[in-house]
Amino acid sequence: MGAGPQTTYTVQQQPAGSCHYRIDRGEPLEDPACTPGAISPAVTQANLASTICSKGGYTKNIRPPEAITRKE
């Protein structure tokens, strides 16, 4: 799909019963094979303050609708 807002979204199939969290340095982490997402080339170390750390929220502007993410 690619990073950033899309004009249309499709629910991605998730592997049935195969998702497990893992522990890294004592912290629980998601199963990368079961977690949808993409790396955005628009976000860099140099522009974190104006992208991810921007006041007002970053993810609400790029996240798919709840109708999609809830199913996934």
Side-chain angles (χ1 to χ4, degrees):
M1 281 294 187
Q6 307 290 317
T7 54
T8 59
Y9 293 93
T10 304
V11 175
Q12 302 295 308
Q13 284 294 101
Q14 302 298 307
S18 63
C19 298
H20 304 282
Y21 72 91
R22 58 196 167 92
I23 302 292
D24 184 19
R25 297 182 203 137
E27 297 292 326
L29 298 172
E30 72 281 351
D31 184 336
C34 300
T35 304
I39 296 171
S40 174
V43 177
T44 67
Q45 190 69 34
N47 69 11
L48 284 179
S50 63
T51 56
I52 303 270
C53 300
S54 65
K55 188 171 184 172
Y58 174 74
T59 58
K60 72 177 178 182
N61 296 319
I62 65 160
R63 186 171 297 194
E66 188 176 337
I68 297 294
T69 59
R70 181 173 298 230
K71 291 177 184 177
E72 289 182 344

